[in-house]
Structures are given as structure tokens and as C-alpha cells.
Amino acid sequence: MMENVKWLIQKKGVFIIELLVIVIACVIVLKGPKQNNSGEENIEEIRAQKAEVPVNHMEGIDADEIDGDEIDIGNITAKSSDSQAPVTQERKVCLFTEEEKKQIQETALTAAEQVKGIYQNIEVADGPAFSSNIAEFTGEQCKEVVSLLGQAGFVSITEDCNMVNPERLHAFYADYLNQKESMFTIFQVNPDGLIGAFTFLYRMDELQTYYVGIGWQQGGIPEIRSTLENSIAEIKLTEKGYFIYSYEILIPHSSLRQCFRTSPISDKCRELTKKYLSGLSYVNYNLLVTNWDSSNVEDILMPRMFEDIYRIYTGEIFRTKDRTVPAEVYEQVMTACFPVSVEQVRKVCGYDAGSGSYPYEMIYASPYPPFGEVVDYKENTDGTITLIVDGVWPDYNSDLAFRNEIVVQPFEDGTFRYLSNSIEQIELELPPIARKKG
């Protein structure tokens, strides 16, 4: 069960995490004061309320009035560092008027009407509001939804697919840089078929989003499942075309930043990323963060990498009952995927001659590590392929943290071998090299 959950997070982390953030946040939806339907009156009300908020909430509080465990400062309840109680953050006034929220919801339903034919024959089960609860929804169906939304003029995106109509997002960012009020909506089609409409608003030097989740009833009938407003701390559109943003209120266990890739990437690069990189880690072992080839390949061999390499080699999740790996399985996978001998593997990977096995080390999920994407490649005369890989690390506001050149040797049966890796720091320092036991 744990293996399935971990692989789900690794494979579909962005979408799953965003869904979880939305669900948890819905429980603590922050509602501002009752707003007028008139956008002009609402904005004046916001200006007045913003003017009343003191810059320093601690002004006027004497030291002897402060309790060591809790300080009540209006809408913020701050806890001392050794307290385990949660922190309630300040409520912010919603920048969206009630009329704007209504129009956004109507637009989301209108967009859904454009694609309801794809959902016409779905089977819907009972389940939570944050999930589509569709029995089966394929990646190709997701892409078809994105295409139809794009043809209808909407900005849309899904996993493993280029964003459609990204120029509207670019225009919004240009307005933001010029301090000009602006708004746009992007439709994200989740792998389960749920459609999330994220509307970004820049107004009065502040950024907020208004989310509308569109689910489906039997027969392809769209319905609004959830709505949520949230304040944005910062946004950034990189030269490579990543739109990276962060929320002011971070939900526990959520990523620090969210991102969309607005610039296109070729189908070939996507194919190479999926085959050679998808699921490999920059933080759990040294495969991607060490310069290596056949002369020093032992430097990257460690038990914890086996789980990911096994999945890439076999297409299956490795399962064990006694936390060991049979030697024949371990050695077949490692010698097939790397330029190593059985003797080298046994020397550095913890081979136990008595049981004829290797130790199994489960990889526990690391908080939002970088991921690699193939941005270019070269087919060499000897049949090998050199992959140019950018390390994307949204949590640290970078889509080019470092760059790898990975050489792989494909075989006729569809398998392949990693031959070497070189890496260069670009915008960020490399993650620490994983340490071997012993």
C-alpha cells in the first residue's frame, strides 16, 4: 500500500498535492466582510479596511503583558516556539467582488459545457467533493478536454501537455509588472477528469486567486463542487516560461510554490523525459548529482536507488515481505541499467552471501524536491543518446537550478543503460550528496 501511495505522489505529485491543498484549505476558507455587488463600492470598502490595519501589530503591548505561551494580536494568534498548537493567520479581505465571483462561476460552467461530450458516458461513483469520482479517465481524454477548451478560447493545461493560449497568462504578468489591474483564468484538467478553474487577480498592489472546482454527474452534466479564495504572496514568469507562484497562507505539508509551464516543449522531449527520467530523484541518491561514468560508477551505487531503477526497468512497483531483494533480481536490474559487474554491485550494495540477498531500503518522500525535464537531446553516431536535462525546483523559484548531460544506451528490446552523468550548477547549489551507510 505504501509503495503505491509513494509512486502516486512521485508520478502525479503536482496535481495530487494541489488537490490536497484545495481540500484542506476549503476547511479554513477565509471570508472577508460582506461585500456589495458593486465592484466600485467594494474596492472603496477594501481601501478603507486596509487603511485601518496597523503596520505593527505589536505596537502598544508592554513586555509584562505578554504571556510566554500565547500572544493574542487581533486576528493573529502567535505561539511560542516550543508550543505545538497551530497558528491562526490574519484574515485578508477578498479582492473579488460578489459579482465577479458569480461571473467566474458562470464562465467555468460555460467552459465545461464545451467539453461535456467527453464526459457523456462516464461512470461516477460516490466520493469526496475534491475528486471527480470518475471510474476511469484517461490521459488522452484529459488532452482532448484541453484541446476543446483551447479551441473555445480558454487558457488550459493538463499533465504531459503543452499549455493552450498561454499568451493570456503572459499579458496578465505584463500588466502585473506595469502595476495595472488585471485578471485571467486558467483551466487545469486533473488526471481524474476534475477541472479546476484558477482565476488570478491583480488589484491595488495585491494578488489573489479564486478557485472553482468543476465535477461531473452521470451523463456528463457539470456541477460546481467547490470554491476557494486565497491570497498570493508572489508570482514570477521565468525566461524559460514557468509561471511560479506561492500562497500567503501555506497549508501544512503543501509545497512552498506552485507552477505551470507556459512555454511548449516537444513531444520527443516529453517522451525522453518519461522513459529515462520520470521518477528519478535528485535528493535520495547520487545518480543525478554526481559526475560519473564507467570509471567511477561505484560512487553512485547504493541500496536505496534500487526501488526507482527497478520500476524504470520493469515498469512495475517492487514489493517485498522481508525487506530484502533476491540477489538474482537485484543484480539483473543493476547490471542491465549501469556499466557495472556483479562483483562491483556485491562490493558496495550490501550483498549478504548467507541469504543470497540485498537489503531493501524504502525511499521516503522528500519535501518537494527538484525534478528533471529533457529540453534537448543529441543522437550520437555510436547509437547512444545524450540528454540535456534541466533541473526544475519550483519551491526555490527556479526552472533552471542545474543542468545535466546524461548519456544513455538504448537496446532493441526497449531496455537501456545509463552510461554517464555530468551536472552543472546554474541558479542554485546542488542538493547534498546522499551518504552511504557504514
Side-chain angles (χ1 to χ4, degrees):
M1 177 65 179
M2 285 300 298
E3 291 92 340
N4 289 331
V5 172
K6 186 180 78 65
W7 169 234
L8 180 63
I9 293 175
Q10 286 181 332
K11 178 63 179 170
K12 304 187 182 295
V14 173
F15 295 102
I16 296 298
I17 289 169
E18 285 188 353
L19 281 175
L20 290 175
V21 169
I22 291 165
V23 174
I24 298 172
C26 282
V27 179
I28 57 170
V29 173
L30 306 178
K31 295 184 178 179
K34 186 175 180 181
Q35 299 171 345
N36 299 316
N37 288 334
S38 167
E40 207 171 286
E41 293 176 1
N42 183 70
I43 292 171
E44 291 304 319
E45 180 183 350
I46 293 172
R47 285 200 179 101
Q49 292 181 23
K50 287 177 65 177
E52 294 172 1
V53 178
V55 174
N56 185 354
H57 290 277
M58 298 299 294
E59 288 180 352
I61 300 178
D62 295 330
D64 57 3
E65 295 177 3
I66 300 176
D67 185 285
D69 183 60
E70 180 176 302
I71 305 169
D72 190 354
I73 47 177
N75 287 329
I76 300 179
T77 301
K79 293 290 180 178
S80 62
S81 59
D82 57 350
S83 172
Q84 299 300 313
V87 176
T88 303
Q89 301 200 35
E90 184 178 5
R91 294 177 179 176
K92 278 219 167 185
V93 176
C94 181
L95 299 179
F96 292 88
T97 68
E98 291 302 319
E99 182 61 29
E100 285 171 335
K101 291 180 184 179
K102 181 180 177 181
Q103 290 176 355
I104 292 168
Q105 293 179 26
E106 291 175 350
T107 299
L109 288 173
T110 298
E113 288 289 331
Q114 307 299 311
V115 300
K116 66 179 183 180
I118 301 174
Y119 295 84
Q120 190 167 2
N121 298 317
I122 58 172
E123 294 292 330
V124 182
D126 293 332
F130 65 85
S131 172
S132 72
N133 304 312
I134 298 174
E136 182 178 359
F137 205 76
T138 68
E140 289 305 312
Q141 286 175 305
C142 288
K143 293 176 183 179
E144 190 176 353
V145 172
V146 167
S147 177
L148 290 176
L149 288 173
Q151 292 174 30
F154 299 104
V155 185
S156 54
I157 193 171
T158 192
E159 187 178 79
D160 198 29
C161 180
N162 290 330
M163 180 179 289
V164 181
N165 299 323
E167 59 276 2
R168 294 194 178 184
L169 188 157
H170 297 164
F172 170 83
Y173 191 72
D175 288 341
Y176 163 73
L177 293 179
N178 292 321
Q179 297 184 312
K180 178 182 177 182
E181 183 173 309
S182 191
M183 183 190 302
F184 92 101
T185 300
I186 180 171
F187 289 85
Q188 183 182 55
V189 184
N190 293 320
D192 67 349
L194 187 81
I195 299 177
F198 294 84
T199 298
F200 289 77
L201 171 65
Y202 176 66
R203 174 175 288 162
M204 297 185 305
D205 296 326
E206 290 193 6
L207 290 157
Q208 287 188 350
T209 61
Y210 184 65
Y211 170 84
V212 178
I214 300 293
W216 300 87
Q217 300 178 27
Q218 205 74 35
I221 302 173
E223 62 178 356
I224 295 177
R225 292 278 182 84
S226 60
T227 63
L228 172 68
E229 61 203 45
N230 208 339
S231 293
I232 298 293
E234 61 176 340
I235 62 174
K236 174 184 178 181
L237 183 62
T238 69
E239 290 185 12
K240 256 179 64 178
Y242 268 88
F243 180 65
I244 304 174
Y245 63 98
S246 63
Y247 292 114
E248 285 194 358
I249 297 178
L250 297 179
I251 307 303
H253 309 299
S254 69
S255 57
L256 295 177
R257 291 179 172 87
Q258 316 297 325
C259 68
F260 296 110
R261 197 185 209 286
T262 71
S263 58
I265 192 168
S266 71
D267 290 341
K268 182 62 176 180
C269 284
R270 289 185 183 277
E271 176 188 330
L272 294 172
T273 299
K274 183 176 182 180
K275 182 170 184 177
Y276 298 115
L277 281 176
S278 183
L280 289 182
S281 172
Y282 276 91
V283 298
N284 290 315
Y285 39 80
N286 301 333
L287 172 61
L288 297 178
V289 296
T290 300
N291 294 322
W292 64 270
D293 55 25
S294 59
S295 67
N296 66 333
V297 66
E298 290 184 11
D299 292 347
I300 68 167
L301 299 179
M302 54 184 60
R304 73 183 66 170
M305 70 190 297
F306 174 79
E307 184 177 14
D308 286 345
I309 301 303
Y310 177 88
R311 176 188 48 74
I312 288 175
Y313 180 70
T314 67
E316 300 175 355
I317 297 172
F318 180 76
R319 304 180 187 280
T320 178
K321 294 182 179 179
D322 58 2
R323 301 190 68 81
T324 65
V325 184
E328 61 270 21
V329 175
Y330 198 102
E331 292 164 2
Q332 177 187 359
V333 171
M334 299 302 283
T335 57
C337 293
F338 297 97
V340 294
S341 65
V342 170
E343 289 73 22
Q344 287 175 296
V345 174
R346 291 188 176 186
K347 176 183 175 182
V348 298
C349 291
Y351 174 68
D352 180 61
S355 62
S357 66
Y358 290 81
Y360 167 74
E361 290 187 15
M362 173 180 279
I363 298 176
Y364 294 95
S366 300
Y368 319 106
F371 62 90
E373 61 178 7
V374 177
V375 296
D376 201 358
Y377 64 96
K378 177 183 178 182
E379 295 179 339
N380 303 312
T381 56
D382 61 358
T384 61
I385 305 173
T386 300
L387 307 175
I388 310 302
V389 178
D390 286 356
V392 182
W393 208 341
D395 267 12
Y396 290 90
N397 228 8
S398 174
D399 63 3
L400 186 50
F402 17 80
R403 174 161 286 170
N404 297 72
E405 288 194 14
I406 303 171
V407 179
V408 296
Q409 180 181 11
F411 299 115
E412 291 183 359
D413 63 358
T415 61
F416 64 91
R417 177 175 293 153
Y418 297 103
L419 296 181
S420 67
N421 172 70
S422 63
I423 186 165
E424 176 188 5
Q425 291 184 173
I426 304 294
E427 295 179 349
L428 298 174
E429 293 184 358
L430 296 176
I433 293 177
R435 302 298 178 188
K436 297 182 181 181
K437 292 183 178 179

